[in-house]
Short mmCIF file of all heavy atoms in Angstrom, two decimals:
data_model
loop_
_atom_site.label_atom_id
_atom_site.label_comp_id
_atom_site.label_asym_id
_atom_site.label_seq_id
_atom_site.Cartn_x
_atom_site.Cartn_y
_atom_site.Cartn_z
N GLY A 1 154.58 12.15 -82.01
CA GLY A 1 153.39 12.72 -82.60
C GLY A 1 152.49 11.71 -83.29
O GLY A 1 151.26 11.79 -83.18
N ILE A 2 153.08 10.75 -84.00
CA ILE A 2 152.26 9.83 -84.79
C ILE A 2 151.78 8.64 -83.98
O ILE A 2 150.80 7.97 -84.37
CB ILE A 2 153.04 9.35 -86.04
CG1 ILE A 2 152.06 8.85 -87.11
CG2 ILE A 2 154.07 8.29 -85.68
CD1 ILE A 2 152.72 8.58 -88.44
N ALA A 3 152.42 8.37 -82.85
CA ALA A 3 152.05 7.18 -82.06
C ALA A 3 150.61 7.25 -81.58
O ALA A 3 149.90 6.25 -81.58
CB ALA A 3 153.00 7.04 -80.87
N GLY A 4 150.16 8.45 -81.17
CA GLY A 4 148.80 8.59 -80.67
C GLY A 4 147.73 8.29 -81.70
O GLY A 4 146.86 7.43 -81.48
N PRO A 5 147.76 8.98 -82.86
CA PRO A 5 146.75 8.69 -83.88
C PRO A 5 146.73 7.24 -84.34
O PRO A 5 145.65 6.65 -84.51
CB PRO A 5 147.14 9.64 -85.02
CG PRO A 5 147.84 10.76 -84.36
CD PRO A 5 148.59 10.15 -83.21
N LEU A 6 147.89 6.64 -84.54
CA LEU A 6 147.91 5.26 -85.01
C LEU A 6 147.38 4.31 -83.95
O LEU A 6 146.61 3.39 -84.26
CB LEU A 6 149.33 4.86 -85.42
CG LEU A 6 149.91 5.58 -86.64
CD1 LEU A 6 151.29 5.01 -87.00
CD2 LEU A 6 148.98 5.49 -87.85
N ALA A 7 147.76 4.52 -82.69
CA ALA A 7 147.26 3.66 -81.61
C ALA A 7 145.75 3.82 -81.46
O ALA A 7 145.02 2.84 -81.26
CB ALA A 7 147.96 3.99 -80.29
N GLY A 8 145.26 5.06 -81.57
CA GLY A 8 143.82 5.29 -81.47
C GLY A 8 143.05 4.61 -82.58
O GLY A 8 141.99 4.02 -82.36
N LEU A 9 143.59 4.65 -83.80
CA LEU A 9 142.91 4.03 -84.94
C LEU A 9 142.89 2.51 -84.83
O LEU A 9 141.96 1.87 -85.32
CB LEU A 9 143.58 4.46 -86.25
CG LEU A 9 143.28 5.89 -86.72
CD1 LEU A 9 144.05 6.20 -87.99
CD2 LEU A 9 141.79 6.09 -86.95
N VAL A 10 143.93 1.94 -84.24
CA VAL A 10 143.96 0.49 -84.06
C VAL A 10 142.74 0.04 -83.25
O VAL A 10 142.21 -1.07 -83.46
CB VAL A 10 145.27 0.06 -83.38
CG1 VAL A 10 145.19 -1.37 -82.88
CG2 VAL A 10 146.44 0.20 -84.34
N VAL A 11 142.28 0.88 -82.34
CA VAL A 11 141.08 0.56 -81.55
C VAL A 11 139.83 1.06 -82.25
O VAL A 11 138.80 0.38 -82.29
CB VAL A 11 141.19 1.17 -80.14
CG1 VAL A 11 139.94 0.87 -79.32
CG2 VAL A 11 142.44 0.65 -79.43
N ALA A 12 139.89 2.28 -82.82
CA ALA A 12 138.68 2.91 -83.37
C ALA A 12 138.10 2.14 -84.55
O ALA A 12 136.87 2.02 -84.68
CB ALA A 12 138.99 4.35 -83.79
N ILE A 13 138.95 1.62 -85.44
CA ILE A 13 138.44 0.98 -86.66
C ILE A 13 137.64 -0.29 -86.34
O ILE A 13 136.51 -0.44 -86.81
CB ILE A 13 139.59 0.71 -87.65
CG1 ILE A 13 140.11 2.05 -88.20
CG2 ILE A 13 139.13 -0.20 -88.79
CD1 ILE A 13 141.33 1.92 -89.09
N PRO A 14 138.17 -1.23 -85.53
CA PRO A 14 137.32 -2.40 -85.20
C PRO A 14 136.09 -2.02 -84.38
O PRO A 14 135.02 -2.63 -84.55
CB PRO A 14 138.26 -3.32 -84.41
CG PRO A 14 139.41 -2.47 -84.02
CD PRO A 14 139.54 -1.40 -85.03
N VAL A 15 136.21 -1.02 -83.49
CA VAL A 15 135.03 -0.57 -82.73
C VAL A 15 133.96 -0.06 -83.70
O VAL A 15 132.77 -0.39 -83.56
CB VAL A 15 135.42 0.54 -81.73
CG1 VAL A 15 134.19 1.31 -81.25
CG2 VAL A 15 136.14 -0.08 -80.53
N LEU A 16 134.37 0.72 -84.67
CA LEU A 16 133.42 1.26 -85.65
C LEU A 16 132.79 0.15 -86.48
O LEU A 16 131.56 0.14 -86.70
CB LEU A 16 134.14 2.25 -86.57
CG LEU A 16 133.31 2.85 -87.71
CD1 LEU A 16 132.12 3.63 -87.17
CD2 LEU A 16 134.17 3.74 -88.59
N MET A 17 133.58 -0.81 -86.92
CA MET A 17 133.04 -1.88 -87.76
C MET A 17 132.05 -2.75 -86.97
O MET A 17 130.99 -3.11 -87.49
CB MET A 17 134.20 -2.73 -88.31
CG MET A 17 135.11 -1.95 -89.26
SD MET A 17 136.44 -2.95 -89.96
CE MET A 17 135.53 -3.98 -91.11
N ILE A 18 132.37 -3.05 -85.73
CA ILE A 18 131.44 -3.84 -84.91
C ILE A 18 130.18 -3.02 -84.65
O ILE A 18 129.05 -3.53 -84.74
CB ILE A 18 132.10 -4.25 -83.58
CG1 ILE A 18 133.27 -5.21 -83.84
CG2 ILE A 18 131.09 -4.90 -82.65
CD1 ILE A 18 134.12 -5.50 -82.62
N GLY A 19 130.35 -1.74 -84.33
CA GLY A 19 129.21 -0.89 -84.05
C GLY A 19 128.29 -0.74 -85.25
O GLY A 19 127.06 -0.78 -85.12
N LEU A 20 128.87 -0.58 -86.44
CA LEU A 20 128.04 -0.47 -87.65
C LEU A 20 127.31 -1.78 -87.94
O LEU A 20 126.16 -1.76 -88.41
CB LEU A 20 128.91 -0.07 -88.85
CG LEU A 20 129.39 1.38 -88.88
CD1 LEU A 20 130.33 1.60 -90.07
CD2 LEU A 20 128.22 2.37 -88.95
N SER A 21 127.95 -2.89 -87.66
CA SER A 21 127.32 -4.19 -87.96
C SER A 21 126.09 -4.44 -87.11
O SER A 21 125.23 -5.25 -87.47
CB SER A 21 128.34 -5.32 -87.77
OG SER A 21 128.68 -5.47 -86.40
N ILE A 22 125.97 -3.75 -85.96
CA ILE A 22 124.78 -3.91 -85.11
C ILE A 22 123.88 -2.67 -85.18
O ILE A 22 122.97 -2.52 -84.36
CB ILE A 22 125.17 -4.21 -83.65
CG1 ILE A 22 126.11 -3.14 -83.08
CG2 ILE A 22 125.83 -5.57 -83.55
CD1 ILE A 22 126.49 -3.35 -81.62
N SER A 23 124.16 -1.78 -86.13
CA SER A 23 123.32 -0.60 -86.34
C SER A 23 122.29 -0.89 -87.43
O SER A 23 122.46 -1.81 -88.25
CB SER A 23 124.18 0.61 -86.75
OG SER A 23 125.12 0.94 -85.75
N GLU A 24 121.22 -0.11 -87.45
CA GLU A 24 120.15 -0.30 -88.42
C GLU A 24 120.20 0.75 -89.51
O GLU A 24 120.54 1.91 -89.25
CB GLU A 24 118.78 -0.22 -87.74
CG GLU A 24 118.49 -1.33 -86.74
CD GLU A 24 117.09 -1.19 -86.17
OE1 GLU A 24 116.13 -1.64 -86.85
OE2 GLU A 24 116.96 -0.62 -85.08
N VAL A 25 119.86 0.35 -90.72
CA VAL A 25 119.67 1.27 -91.82
C VAL A 25 118.18 1.48 -91.99
O VAL A 25 117.43 0.53 -92.22
CB VAL A 25 120.30 0.74 -93.13
CG1 VAL A 25 119.97 1.67 -94.30
CG2 VAL A 25 121.81 0.58 -92.97
N LYS A 26 117.74 2.73 -91.84
CA LYS A 26 116.31 3.02 -91.89
C LYS A 26 116.06 4.30 -92.68
O LYS A 26 116.99 5.04 -93.00
CB LYS A 26 115.76 3.20 -90.47
CG LYS A 26 115.88 1.97 -89.58
CD LYS A 26 115.13 2.16 -88.27
CE LYS A 26 115.74 3.25 -87.41
NZ LYS A 26 115.10 3.31 -86.07
N GLN A 27 114.78 4.50 -93.00
CA GLN A 27 114.37 5.73 -93.64
C GLN A 27 114.64 6.90 -92.68
O GLN A 27 114.35 6.83 -91.50
CB GLN A 27 112.87 5.68 -93.99
CG GLN A 27 112.41 6.76 -94.94
CD GLN A 27 112.90 6.52 -96.36
OE1 GLN A 27 113.20 5.38 -96.74
NE2 GLN A 27 112.99 7.58 -97.15
N VAL A 28 115.20 7.96 -93.23
CA VAL A 28 115.54 9.12 -92.40
C VAL A 28 114.26 9.88 -92.05
O VAL A 28 113.50 10.29 -92.93
CB VAL A 28 116.52 10.05 -93.13
CG1 VAL A 28 116.77 11.31 -92.30
CG2 VAL A 28 117.84 9.32 -93.41
N VAL A 29 114.03 10.06 -90.75
CA VAL A 29 112.91 10.84 -90.25
C VAL A 29 113.48 11.97 -89.40
O VAL A 29 113.88 11.76 -88.26
CB VAL A 29 111.94 9.98 -89.41
CG1 VAL A 29 110.78 10.84 -88.90
CG2 VAL A 29 111.45 8.79 -90.20
N PRO A 30 113.56 13.19 -89.96
CA PRO A 30 114.15 14.31 -89.21
C PRO A 30 113.36 14.58 -87.94
O PRO A 30 112.13 14.63 -87.94
CB PRO A 30 114.05 15.49 -90.18
CG PRO A 30 113.92 14.86 -91.54
CD PRO A 30 113.16 13.59 -91.32
N MET A 31 114.11 14.74 -86.82
CA MET A 31 113.49 15.07 -85.54
C MET A 31 114.22 16.25 -84.93
O MET A 31 115.40 16.52 -85.26
CB MET A 31 113.55 13.86 -84.59
CG MET A 31 112.73 12.66 -85.03
SD MET A 31 112.78 11.31 -83.81
CE MET A 31 114.50 10.85 -83.90
N GLU A 32 113.54 16.95 -84.05
CA GLU A 32 114.11 18.13 -83.40
C GLU A 32 115.37 17.73 -82.65
O GLU A 32 115.37 16.80 -81.84
CB GLU A 32 113.10 18.73 -82.42
CG GLU A 32 113.54 20.07 -81.84
CD GLU A 32 113.48 21.18 -82.87
OE1 GLU A 32 112.58 21.16 -83.73
OE2 GLU A 32 114.36 22.07 -82.81
N GLY A 33 116.47 18.44 -82.94
CA GLY A 33 117.73 18.20 -82.23
C GLY A 33 118.56 17.07 -82.79
O GLY A 33 119.66 16.82 -82.28
N SER A 34 118.09 16.37 -83.81
CA SER A 34 118.87 15.27 -84.38
C SER A 34 119.91 15.82 -85.37
O SER A 34 119.81 16.95 -85.83
CB SER A 34 117.96 14.26 -85.07
OG SER A 34 117.24 14.86 -86.13
N PHE A 35 120.89 15.00 -85.68
CA PHE A 35 121.94 15.43 -86.60
C PHE A 35 122.40 14.25 -87.44
O PHE A 35 122.16 13.09 -87.10
CB PHE A 35 123.13 16.00 -85.82
CG PHE A 35 123.88 14.98 -85.01
CD1 PHE A 35 124.96 14.28 -85.55
CD2 PHE A 35 123.49 14.69 -83.71
CE1 PHE A 35 125.63 13.33 -84.82
CE2 PHE A 35 124.17 13.72 -82.96
CZ PHE A 35 125.23 13.05 -83.52
N THR A 36 123.04 14.58 -88.54
CA THR A 36 123.66 13.58 -89.40
C THR A 36 125.17 13.72 -89.27
O THR A 36 125.70 14.82 -89.40
CB THR A 36 123.26 13.77 -90.87
OG1 THR A 36 121.84 13.65 -90.98
CG2 THR A 36 123.93 12.74 -91.76
N GLU A 37 125.83 12.61 -88.99
CA GLU A 37 127.29 12.65 -88.85
C GLU A 37 127.94 12.77 -90.22
O GLU A 37 127.42 12.26 -91.22
CB GLU A 37 127.79 11.40 -88.12
CG GLU A 37 127.89 10.12 -88.96
CD GLU A 37 126.56 9.44 -89.17
OE1 GLU A 37 125.52 9.97 -88.71
OE2 GLU A 37 126.55 8.36 -89.80
N GLY A 38 129.07 13.44 -90.26
CA GLY A 38 129.75 13.66 -91.53
C GLY A 38 130.57 12.46 -91.97
O GLY A 38 130.92 11.58 -91.18
N ASN A 39 130.86 12.43 -93.25
CA ASN A 39 131.65 11.35 -93.84
C ASN A 39 133.10 11.78 -94.04
O ASN A 39 133.38 12.86 -94.55
CB ASN A 39 131.08 10.95 -95.20
CG ASN A 39 129.95 9.95 -95.09
OD1 ASN A 39 130.07 8.95 -94.40
ND2 ASN A 39 128.84 10.24 -95.75
N SER A 40 134.02 10.94 -93.63
CA SER A 40 135.40 11.00 -94.09
C SER A 40 135.57 9.91 -95.13
O SER A 40 134.70 9.05 -95.29
CB SER A 40 136.38 10.78 -92.93
OG SER A 40 136.21 9.47 -92.38
N LEU A 41 136.69 9.91 -95.83
CA LEU A 41 136.91 8.87 -96.85
C LEU A 41 136.92 7.49 -96.19
O LEU A 41 136.33 6.53 -96.72
CB LEU A 41 138.24 9.12 -97.57
CG LEU A 41 138.30 10.36 -98.46
CD1 LEU A 41 139.71 10.55 -99.03
CD2 LEU A 41 137.28 10.26 -99.60
N LEU A 42 137.56 7.37 -95.04
CA LEU A 42 137.64 6.06 -94.38
C LEU A 42 136.28 5.63 -93.85
O LEU A 42 135.89 4.47 -93.98
CB LEU A 42 138.67 6.11 -93.25
CG LEU A 42 138.88 4.80 -92.48
CD1 LEU A 42 139.33 3.70 -93.41
CD2 LEU A 42 139.91 5.00 -91.35
N TYR A 43 135.54 6.56 -93.25
CA TYR A 43 134.22 6.22 -92.70
C TYR A 43 133.28 5.79 -93.82
O TYR A 43 132.56 4.78 -93.70
CB TYR A 43 133.67 7.43 -91.96
CG TYR A 43 132.30 7.20 -91.35
CD1 TYR A 43 132.05 6.12 -90.53
CD2 TYR A 43 131.26 8.10 -91.58
CE1 TYR A 43 130.81 5.91 -89.95
CE2 TYR A 43 130.01 7.91 -91.01
CZ TYR A 43 129.79 6.81 -90.20
OH TYR A 43 128.55 6.61 -89.64
N ALA A 44 133.29 6.51 -94.94
CA ALA A 44 132.43 6.15 -96.06
C ALA A 44 132.81 4.77 -96.61
O ALA A 44 131.93 3.96 -96.93
CB ALA A 44 132.54 7.21 -97.16
N ALA A 45 134.11 4.49 -96.68
CA ALA A 45 134.56 3.20 -97.19
C ALA A 45 134.13 2.05 -96.28
O ALA A 45 133.72 0.98 -96.75
CB ALA A 45 136.08 3.21 -97.36
N ILE A 46 134.21 2.26 -94.96
CA ILE A 46 133.81 1.21 -94.03
C ILE A 46 132.31 0.97 -94.12
O ILE A 46 131.84 -0.19 -94.06
CB ILE A 46 134.23 1.59 -92.59
CG1 ILE A 46 135.76 1.54 -92.47
CG2 ILE A 46 133.60 0.64 -91.57
CD1 ILE A 46 136.30 2.00 -91.13
#
């Protein structure tokens, strides 16, 4: 049971950190059909 989540996170965390490092922080401009992703404790910390 635990092997899957841990193996997935081993890949997901560096993917997320690299992806965020090439993402932009900008003023929020709401558009039709857009959404804001939710925060988990780990995501907020990263």
